[in-house]
Amino acid sequence: MPLLSGDVLELLPTLEAESFQAVIADPPYFQVLLEHEWDTAWASADDYLDWTLRWVRACRRTLRRDGLMFIFGQLGKREHVWLHMCSMLAKEMQFHDMLIWDRAVGYNERRDSFTPQYEMILVLRQSADAKPYFDKDAVRIPYDEATIQTYLRDSRYKDRTAREAHLRKGKYATNILRVPSLKGSSSEKAGHPSQKPVALIKHLVACSTRPGDAVLDPFLGSGTTAVCCELLDRKWTGIEKNPAYAEIARKRLEDIAREKAETLKF
C-alpha cells in the first residue's frame, strides 16, 4: 500500500475518485506549533482556510458515497481559526458529528484560563442524504467485571443469560473519546511532535470501515493511520511531504510487517 511523498494538493488529484471508505486527516493546525515550518507556512488565517478548502475538496473527490471524513483540530487562544474552518467545511460537505478527544491530561497550562485537555475531530459526510457506513459495535467499551456483576443483580431483567451476553459486548462509545495522549516516555512515541495514539486512530478506522476497505490519510506524519490499517486488515494510502516523517512511518510499518511475520512462524 502506497506511502506517497510530496505535496498533498499535487498528489490528491492523481488518486482514483470514490476509492476510499474513510479519510482521516490530521493537518497542520496553523500557528500552534510555532517552531515548525509546516505549521507556520501561511501568511494569514485566510490563506490557511483557502488551502484547507482546496485539500478537503480534493479529498472529497476520493471519498465513497457512504464514506466519512475525519478532520482533527483544536481550540485555543491562537487556534480560534478552527471555528471558522468548521463553519466553512460544514457548508462544503454535510456535518455528521463532532468528536472530542479527551487527552486525559492537560497541556500548556495558562495563567488566565482553564488548562486545555481536549482536541476535536470534525466528521463530515458527502451530502445530507448520504448514508455513511458506521459500525458502532466495533468500538464498544468493555464493562469491568464488577460492573457486570452489579447489573446482573438487577431483578428487572428476567433473562439473565441474555442480559449477561449484552453486557459482555460492552457499552456503546460516546462522542467523547478518552485516550491518553502520548508523553515523551511513551514507547509508542516515534518522533513526531503531534503524533496521535494508535488507540485513538483505531477507533476511527474500526467504526467507519470494513476489513479490506481503503483509508486515505493526506497528512500521514509518523504513520499512525497506516499502522492501524495494517493491524485491522484495511488498505491504506498516505501522503507525507516531510521526508523525515515519511522515513519514521516506513520504519514503523517495517516493524509491523516483521511482527506479523514472526507471528506466522508459530
mmCIF file of all heavy atoms in Angstrom, residues 172-205:
data_model
loop_
_atom_site.group_PDB
_atom_site.id
_atom_site.type_symbol
_atom_site.label_atom_id
_atom_site.label_comp_id
_atom_site.label_asym_id
_atom_site.label_seq_id
_atom_site.Cartn_x
_atom_site.Cartn_y
_atom_site.Cartn_z
ATOM 1 N N TYR A 172 -21.910 1.148 24.225
ATOM 2 C CA TYR A 172 -21.599 1.913 23.027
ATOM 3 C C TYR A 172 -20.738 3.126 23.383
ATOM 4 O O TYR A 172 -20.946 3.794 24.400
ATOM 5 C CB TYR A 172 -22.883 2.384 22.343
ATOM 6 C CG TYR A 172 -23.670 1.269 21.714
ATOM 7 C CD1 TYR A 172 -25.008 1.054 22.042
ATOM 8 C CD2 TYR A 172 -23.073 0.411 20.788
ATOM 9 C CE1 TYR A 172 -25.733 0.021 21.465
ATOM 10 C CE2 TYR A 172 -23.788 -0.617 20.207
ATOM 11 C CZ TYR A 172 -25.120 -0.812 20.546
ATOM 12 O OH TYR A 172 -25.813 -1.836 19.966
ATOM 13 N N ALA A 173 -19.774 3.409 22.529
ATOM 14 C CA ALA A 173 -18.900 4.556 22.753
ATOM 15 C C ALA A 173 -19.673 5.849 22.533
ATOM 16 O O ALA A 173 -20.550 5.920 21.663
ATOM 17 C CB ALA A 173 -17.701 4.492 21.815
ATOM 18 N N THR A 174 -19.347 6.868 23.292
ATOM 19 C CA THR A 174 -19.935 8.184 23.087
ATOM 20 C C THR A 174 -19.026 8.978 22.143
ATOM 21 O O THR A 174 -17.978 8.493 21.710
ATOM 22 C CB THR A 174 -20.073 8.948 24.419
ATOM 23 O OG1 THR A 174 -18.766 9.339 24.874
ATOM 24 C CG2 THR A 174 -20.749 8.084 25.477
ATOM 25 N N ASN A 175 -19.423 10.217 21.867
ATOM 26 C CA ASN A 175 -18.587 11.048 21.001
ATOM 27 C C ASN A 175 -17.490 11.775 21.787
ATOM 28 O O ASN A 175 -16.869 12.706 21.275
ATOM 29 C CB ASN A 175 -19.417 12.033 20.186
ATOM 30 C CG ASN A 175 -20.271 12.939 21.052
ATOM 31 O OD1 ASN A 175 -20.193 12.913 22.281
ATOM 32 N ND2 ASN A 175 -21.100 13.745 20.407
ATOM 33 N N ILE A 176 -17.262 11.340 23.028
ATOM 34 C CA ILE A 176 -16.097 11.768 23.791
ATOM 35 C C ILE A 176 -15.168 10.561 23.932
ATOM 36 O O ILE A 176 -15.517 9.582 24.590
ATOM 37 C CB ILE A 176 -16.475 12.313 25.179
ATOM 38 C CG1 ILE A 176 -17.395 13.523 25.030
ATOM 39 C CG2 ILE A 176 -15.226 12.689 25.966
ATOM 40 C CD1 ILE A 176 -17.867 14.113 26.357
ATOM 41 N N LEU A 177 -14.038 10.624 23.265
ATOM 42 C CA LEU A 177 -13.090 9.502 23.239
ATOM 43 C C LEU A 177 -11.953 9.803 24.205
ATOM 44 O O LEU A 177 -11.133 10.690 23.955
ATOM 45 C CB LEU A 177 -12.553 9.299 21.820
ATOM 46 C CG LEU A 177 -13.619 9.121 20.726
ATOM 47 C CD1 LEU A 177 -12.962 9.020 19.365
ATOM 48 C CD2 LEU A 177 -14.498 7.909 21.007
ATOM 49 N N ARG A 178 -11.919 9.077 25.306
ATOM 50 C CA ARG A 178 -10.890 9.311 26.321
ATOM 51 C C ARG A 178 -9.712 8.366 26.070
ATOM 52 O O ARG A 178 -9.763 7.181 26.380
ATOM 53 C CB ARG A 178 -11.452 9.105 27.720
ATOM 54 C CG ARG A 178 -10.478 9.485 28.830
ATOM 55 C CD ARG A 178 -11.128 9.360 30.201
ATOM 56 N NE ARG A 178 -10.198 9.633 31.286
ATOM 57 C CZ ARG A 178 -9.873 10.836 31.731
ATOM 58 N NH1 ARG A 178 -10.416 11.903 31.180
ATOM 59 N NH2 ARG A 178 -9.018 10.994 32.725
ATOM 60 N N VAL A 179 -8.680 8.908 25.469
ATOM 61 C CA VAL A 179 -7.469 8.159 25.148
ATOM 62 C C VAL A 179 -6.273 9.010 25.578
ATOM 63 O O VAL A 179 -6.102 10.124 25.073
ATOM 64 C CB VAL A 179 -7.367 7.846 23.642
ATOM 65 C CG1 VAL A 179 -6.079 7.090 23.345
ATOM 66 C CG2 VAL A 179 -8.581 7.057 23.174
ATOM 67 N N PRO A 180 -5.445 8.537 26.492
ATOM 68 C CA PRO A 180 -4.307 9.351 26.945
ATOM 69 C C PRO A 180 -3.404 9.755 25.781
ATOM 70 O O PRO A 180 -3.118 8.956 24.890
ATOM 71 C CB PRO A 180 -3.576 8.421 27.919
ATOM 72 C CG PRO A 180 -4.628 7.471 28.391
ATOM 73 C CD PRO A 180 -5.540 7.256 27.212
ATOM 74 N N SER A 181 -2.973 11.006 25.799
ATOM 75 C CA SER A 181 -2.032 11.477 24.779
ATOM 76 C C SER A 181 -0.669 10.832 25.015
ATOM 77 O O SER A 181 -0.392 10.293 26.092
ATOM 78 C CB SER A 181 -1.919 12.996 24.825
ATOM 79 O OG SER A 181 -1.504 13.416 26.116
ATOM 80 N N LEU A 182 0.174 10.903 24.012
ATOM 81 C CA LEU A 182 1.494 10.278 24.094
ATOM 82 C C LEU A 182 2.484 11.226 24.761
ATOM 83 O O LEU A 182 2.696 12.340 24.301
ATOM 84 C CB LEU A 182 1.985 9.904 22.692
ATOM 85 C CG LEU A 182 1.101 8.942 21.906
ATOM 86 C CD1 LEU A 182 1.703 8.679 20.536
ATOM 87 C CD2 LEU A 182 0.896 7.637 22.660
ATOM 88 N N LYS A 183 3.077 10.773 25.827
ATOM 89 C CA LYS A 183 4.086 11.555 26.509
ATOM 90 C C LYS A 183 5.477 11.142 26.025
ATOM 91 O O LYS A 183 5.646 10.123 25.357
ATOM 92 C CB LYS A 183 3.959 11.368 28.029
ATOM 93 C CG LYS A 183 2.623 11.853 28.574
ATOM 94 C CD LYS A 183 2.362 13.307 28.175
ATOM 95 C CE LYS A 183 1.001 13.802 28.589
ATOM 96 N NZ LYS A 183 0.700 15.140 28.063
ATOM 97 N N GLY A 184 6.459 11.923 26.412
ATOM 98 C CA GLY A 184 7.824 11.666 25.943
ATOM 99 C C GLY A 184 8.347 10.303 26.313
ATOM 100 O O GLY A 184 9.171 9.724 25.606
ATOM 101 N N SER A 185 7.831 9.744 27.423
ATOM 102 C CA SER A 185 8.306 8.444 27.874
ATOM 103 C C SER A 185 7.568 7.280 27.235
ATOM 104 O O SER A 185 7.910 6.117 27.449
ATOM 105 C CB SER A 185 8.167 8.347 29.396
ATOM 106 O OG SER A 185 6.803 8.518 29.782
ATOM 107 N N SER A 186 6.546 7.584 26.425
ATOM 108 C CA SER A 186 5.744 6.525 25.825
ATOM 109 C C SER A 186 6.560 5.728 24.808
ATOM 110 O O SER A 186 7.265 6.290 23.966
ATOM 111 C CB SER A 186 4.519 7.125 25.129
ATOM 112 O OG SER A 186 3.841 6.159 24.368
ATOM 113 N N SER A 187 6.456 4.409 24.880
ATOM 114 C CA SER A 187 7.165 3.549 23.922
ATOM 115 C C SER A 187 6.606 3.706 22.518
ATOM 116 O O SER A 187 7.252 3.329 21.542
ATOM 117 C CB SER A 187 7.055 2.081 24.364
ATOM 118 O OG SER A 187 5.688 1.680 24.423
ATOM 119 N N GLU A 188 5.416 4.281 22.412
ATOM 120 C CA GLU A 188 4.780 4.475 21.110
ATOM 121 C C GLU A 188 5.312 5.705 20.386
ATOM 122 O O GLU A 188 5.172 5.826 19.172
ATOM 123 C CB GLU A 188 3.266 4.587 21.310
ATOM 124 C CG GLU A 188 2.450 4.446 20.052
ATOM 125 C CD GLU A 188 0.964 4.523 20.324
ATOM 126 O OE1 GLU A 188 0.495 3.881 21.284
ATOM 127 O OE2 GLU A 188 0.268 5.244 19.585
ATOM 128 N N LYS A 189 5.898 6.632 21.124
ATOM 129 C CA LYS A 189 6.420 7.853 20.536
ATOM 130 C C LYS A 189 7.449 7.536 19.457
ATOM 131 O O LYS A 189 8.374 6.763 19.662
ATOM 132 C CB LYS A 189 7.084 8.712 21.605
ATOM 133 C CG LYS A 189 6.179 9.719 22.271
ATOM 134 C CD LYS A 189 5.773 10.816 21.301
ATOM 135 C CE LYS A 189 5.742 12.173 21.937
ATOM 136 N NZ LYS A 189 5.309 13.207 20.986
ATOM 137 N N ALA A 190 7.270 8.168 18.281
ATOM 138 C CA ALA A 190 8.139 7.834 17.151
ATOM 139 C C ALA A 190 8.929 9.032 16.635
ATOM 140 O O ALA A 190 9.717 8.878 15.714
ATOM 141 C CB ALA A 190 7.309 7.244 16.011
ATOM 142 N N GLY A 191 8.692 10.231 17.184
ATOM 143 C CA GLY A 191 9.481 11.366 16.745
ATOM 144 C C GLY A 191 8.714 12.471 16.060
ATOM 145 O O GLY A 191 9.314 13.399 15.520
ATOM 146 N N HIS A 192 7.386 12.395 16.083
ATOM 147 C CA HIS A 192 6.566 13.460 15.502
ATOM 148 C C HIS A 192 5.940 14.275 16.623
ATOM 149 O O HIS A 192 5.393 13.704 17.575
ATOM 150 C CB HIS A 192 5.477 12.870 14.608
ATOM 151 C CG HIS A 192 4.807 13.864 13.723
ATOM 152 N ND1 HIS A 192 3.937 14.821 14.202
ATOM 153 C CD2 HIS A 192 4.879 14.063 12.380
ATOM 154 C CE1 HIS A 192 3.491 15.563 13.200
ATOM 155 N NE2 HIS A 192 4.041 15.126 12.081
ATOM 156 N N PRO A 193 5.977 15.605 16.567
ATOM 157 C CA PRO A 193 5.511 16.424 17.689
ATOM 158 C C PRO A 193 4.015 16.380 17.942
ATOM 159 O O PRO A 193 3.564 16.728 19.036
ATOM 160 C CB PRO A 193 5.957 17.841 17.298
ATOM 161 C CG PRO A 193 6.072 17.804 15.810
ATOM 162 C CD PRO A 193 6.565 16.423 15.481
ATOM 163 N N SER A 194 3.227 15.978 16.958
ATOM 164 C CA SER A 194 1.774 15.928 17.174
ATOM 165 C C SER A 194 1.225 14.528 16.864
ATOM 166 O O SER A 194 0.104 14.381 16.384
ATOM 167 C CB SER A 194 1.062 16.973 16.316
ATOM 168 O OG SER A 194 1.317 16.770 14.941
ATOM 169 N N GLN A 195 2.005 13.518 17.149
ATOM 170 C CA GLN A 195 1.629 12.133 16.876
ATOM 171 C C GLN A 195 0.391 11.734 17.682
ATOM 172 O O GLN A 195 0.303 11.974 18.878
ATOM 173 C CB GLN A 195 2.791 11.209 17.239
ATOM 174 C CG GLN A 195 2.527 9.731 16.989
ATOM 175 C CD GLN A 195 3.717 8.874 17.405
ATOM 176 O OE1 GLN A 195 4.839 9.367 17.508
ATOM 177 N NE2 GLN A 195 3.473 7.609 17.655
ATOM 178 N N LYS A 196 -0.573 11.120 17.026
ATOM 179 C CA LYS A 196 -1.789 10.659 17.671
ATOM 180 C C LYS A 196 -1.627 9.203 18.122
ATOM 181 O O LYS A 196 -0.950 8.412 17.469
ATOM 182 C CB LYS A 196 -2.985 10.782 16.724
ATOM 183 C CG LYS A 196 -3.265 12.209 16.251
ATOM 184 C CD LYS A 196 -3.550 13.148 17.420
ATOM 185 C CE LYS A 196 -3.970 14.547 16.987
ATOM 186 N NZ LYS A 196 -2.868 15.330 16.422
ATOM 187 N N PRO A 197 -2.269 8.831 19.233
ATOM 188 C CA PRO A 197 -2.158 7.454 19.736
ATOM 189 C C PRO A 197 -2.812 6.442 18.800
ATOM 190 O O PRO A 197 -3.844 6.718 18.187
ATOM 191 C CB PRO A 197 -2.897 7.510 21.074
ATOM 192 C CG PRO A 197 -3.012 8.956 21.419
ATOM 193 C CD PRO A 197 -3.071 9.689 20.123
ATOM 194 N N VAL A 198 -2.227 5.268 18.726
ATOM 195 C CA VAL A 198 -2.806 4.182 17.934
ATOM 196 C C VAL A 198 -4.222 3.872 18.414
ATOM 197 O O VAL A 198 -5.135 3.658 17.610
ATOM 198 C CB VAL A 198 -1.914 2.924 18.013
ATOM 199 C CG1 VAL A 198 -2.655 1.691 17.492
ATOM 200 C CG2 VAL A 198 -0.632 3.132 17.210
ATOM 201 N N ALA A 199 -4.436 3.848 19.722
ATOM 202 C CA ALA A 199 -5.757 3.518 20.261
ATOM 203 C C ALA A 199 -6.829 4.477 19.773
ATOM 204 O O ALA A 199 -7.983 4.077 19.560
ATOM 205 C CB ALA A 199 -5.699 3.523 21.787
ATOM 206 N N LEU A 200 -6.483 5.729 19.586
ATOM 207 C CA LEU A 200 -7.442 6.723 19.111
ATOM 208 C C LEU A 200 -7.779 6.508 17.641
ATOM 209 O O LEU A 200 -8.957 6.469 17.243
ATOM 210 C CB LEU A 200 -6.872 8.127 19.321
ATOM 211 C CG LEU A 200 -7.715 9.293 18.789
ATOM 212 C CD1 LEU A 200 -9.046 9.380 19.534
ATOM 213 C CD2 LEU A 200 -6.950 10.608 18.903
ATOM 214 N N ILE A 201 -6.761 6.381 16.813
ATOM 215 C CA ILE A 201 -6.993 6.223 15.371
ATOM 216 C C ILE A 201 -7.664 4.883 15.060
ATOM 217 O O ILE A 201 -8.480 4.793 14.133
ATOM 218 C CB ILE A 201 -5.667 6.371 14.591
ATOM 219 C CG1 ILE A 201 -5.021 7.729 14.886
ATOM 220 C CG2 ILE A 201 -5.913 6.229 13.093
ATOM 221 C CD1 ILE A 201 -5.884 8.927 14.549
ATOM 222 N N LYS A 202 -7.363 3.858 15.839
ATOM 223 C CA LYS A 202 -8.025 2.570 15.637
ATOM 224 C C LYS A 202 -9.539 2.701 15.799
ATOM 225 O O LYS A 202 -10.302 2.037 15.090
ATOM 226 C CB LYS A 202 -7.476 1.521 16.605
ATOM 227 C CG LYS A 202 -6.135 0.936 16.197
ATOM 228 C CD LYS A 202 -5.617 -0.072 17.203
ATOM 229 C CE LYS A 202 -6.367 -1.380 17.122
ATOM 230 N NZ LYS A 202 -5.748 -2.411 18.005
ATOM 231 N N HIS A 203 -9.982 3.549 16.720
ATOM 232 C CA HIS A 203 -11.416 3.783 16.887
ATOM 233 C C HIS A 203 -12.027 4.309 15.591
ATOM 234 O O HIS A 203 -13.095 3.853 15.168
ATOM 235 C CB HIS A 203 -11.658 4.801 18.009
ATOM 236 C CG HIS A 203 -11.798 4.204 19.364
ATOM 237 N ND1 HIS A 203 -10.755 3.621 20.027
ATOM 238 C CD2 HIS A 203 -12.877 4.105 20.203
ATOM 239 C CE1 HIS A 203 -11.172 3.194 21.203
ATOM 240 N NE2 HIS A 203 -12.450 3.468 21.331
ATOM 241 N N LEU A 204 -11.361 5.270 14.972
ATOM 242 C CA LEU A 204 -11.904 5.889 13.767
ATOM 243 C C LEU A 204 -11.917 4.904 12.600
ATOM 244 O O LEU A 204 -12.890 4.840 11.845
ATOM 245 C CB LEU A 204 -11.082 7.131 13.402
ATOM 246 C CG LEU A 204 -10.910 8.181 14.507
ATOM 247 C CD1 LEU A 204 -10.179 9.405 13.948
ATOM 248 C CD2 LEU A 204 -12.242 8.577 15.125
ATOM 249 N N VAL A 205 -10.843 4.155 12.454
ATOM 250 C CA VAL A 205 -10.760 3.170 11.368
ATOM 251 C C VAL A 205 -11.796 2.069 11.565
ATOM 252 O O VAL A 205 -12.517 1.684 10.635
ATOM 253 C CB VAL A 205 -9.343 2.570 11.290
ATOM 254 C CG1 VAL A 205 -9.298 1.429 10.266
ATOM 255 C CG2 VAL A 205 -8.319 3.642 10.923
#
